[in-house]
Amino acid sequence: QTLARLPSGDQPLRCRLLVTLAFELADDDSERAYQASAESVAMARRLGDPFLLTMALGGRWVQNLSFRHDGLDERLRIGAELVALPGKPVTAEALAHMMLMAASCGVADFAAADQHAGQAVRIADRYDLPTVAAAVSIYRATRAALNGDAAAAELYRQAAAQLDRLGQAGAGLGILGRSSLLIMQDRMAEITSELDGDPRMPALFPELYALGLAATGRAAEARAVANPLRPIRRDRRWLFLTGIRGLLAIALDDRERAESAYQALLPYAARPAGADTMLITLWPVAQILGDLARHLDLPGAEAHYRHALAIAEQAQAKPWREAAMRRLS
């Protein structure tokens, strides 16, 4: 309403309101906030105000987390620009490294992500920025999982508690992180008890819950929970949840679900499923595509597994490498 009442033209208040739209409608399905984020960045550049530009780039980054546009490349550019931007506040320096930490995960460049995590946490420790420290702690739990570290589950619990203390709903994120860890450890039967720890979780993530049910031999219950087949919102968790859909399709021998997941995942074969959220990750998408291709009797399963192995080698992720090698043996 205020935007509509303001005179046209570049002005700091209009720019700030556009940024507010970008943040407040981060998970909205409309194009309004995405367009607002682009307008705010362009306006901040014209105004030549580094503080406004910092805010606007943050809003644009949040909008690019959605898979409606899949702005991973743009997020890498935004993080690099923000690191180099003169005159920004120290909080923006930490934010820039968090952005690059997350985006580097999305391209499985964990060496770069480690460097940015280290930079972010040094700034957080020096200037007492607890939200930055909490984000890095979740990332480190994910890294422990990818290293095959037995302490990963406990690190997820500690990071979730840290987020809860900051009022950021860490419990749910911790449950998702530990559930993804159980999948990588071939302990899917334990997912139901993990999600049952929070009464909201089974309804929020029905296909993940159904995957746990299927693993315990409760296929009829799993089908009841997961059916009918619903569209997955293309928000920041879309790739992770579509990967879960693929795994569930195999567990239930559900051809329609499997074909849907395979086609949806194909454009993202080179990506780790969920890693650019910094919070959760499964296998490389190529690994899931290999399993789906084999299940559907499609050609190319071995090529998918070789792709997954190459990603695992690049990422130096031991569980990923072992999984790909098992399929190729």
Side-chain angles (χ1 to χ4, degrees), residues 139 187 206 243 327:
Y139 167 73
R187 295 163 56 197
R327 297 293 194 269

Side-chain angles (χ1 to χ4, degrees), residues 72 75 101-110 239 270-272 274-277:
L72 178 57
R75 293 203 305 277
M101 175 180 75
S104 297
C105 290
V107 293
D109 186 352
F110 294 107
L239 190 58
R271 303 267 286 273
D276 52 353
T277 65

Side-chain angles (χ1 to χ4, degrees), residues 280-294:
I280 45 179
T281 191
L282 294 173
W283 317 109
V285 169
Q287 180 81 16
I288 302 171
L289 286 168
D291 289 348
L292 285 165
R294 190 170 66 177

Side-chain angles (χ1 to χ4, degrees), residues 209-221:
Y209 191 64
L211 184 62
L213 290 171
T216 61
R218 297 153 68 184
E221 289 180 64

Side-chain angles (χ1 to χ4, degrees), residues 179-301:
S179 296
S180 65
L181 181 62
L182 291 172
I183 291 169
M184 287 196 291
Q185 294 175 339
D186 198 22
R187 295 163 56 197
M188 288 186 281
E190 298 174 44
I191 291 174
T192 49
S193 57
E194 187 67 63
L195 266 66
D196 281 336
D198 185 325
R200 302 166 300 171
M201 298 302 282
L204 284 173
F205 302 102
E207 289 186 301
L208 179 60
Y209 191 64
L211 184 62
L213 290 171
T216 61
R218 297 153 68 184
E221 289 180 64
R223 289 189 180 90
V225 166
N227 288 329
L229 190 63
R230 302 174 183 88
I232 299 172
R233 284 190 66 185
R234 294 187 75 90
D235 60 16
R236 67 192 70 187
R237 294 177 304 206
W238 177 84
L239 190 58
F240 172 77
L241 293 177
T242 305
I244 294 294
R245 172 164 289 182
L247 298 178
L248 177 62
I250 295 167
L252 294 179
D253 192 19
D254 183 334
R255 189 171 187 88
E256 179 188 2
R257 195 180 303 266
E259 289 173 345
S260 169
Y262 185 80
Q263 292 302 321
L265 291 170
L266 263 178
Y268 304 97
R271 303 267 286 273
D276 52 353
T277 65
M278 296 186 297
L279 306 169
I280 45 179
T281 191
L282 294 173
W283 317 109
V285 169
Q287 180 81 16
I288 302 171
L289 286 168
D291 289 348
L292 285 165
R294 190 170 66 177
H295 182 76
L296 293 166
D297 292 323
L298 297 175

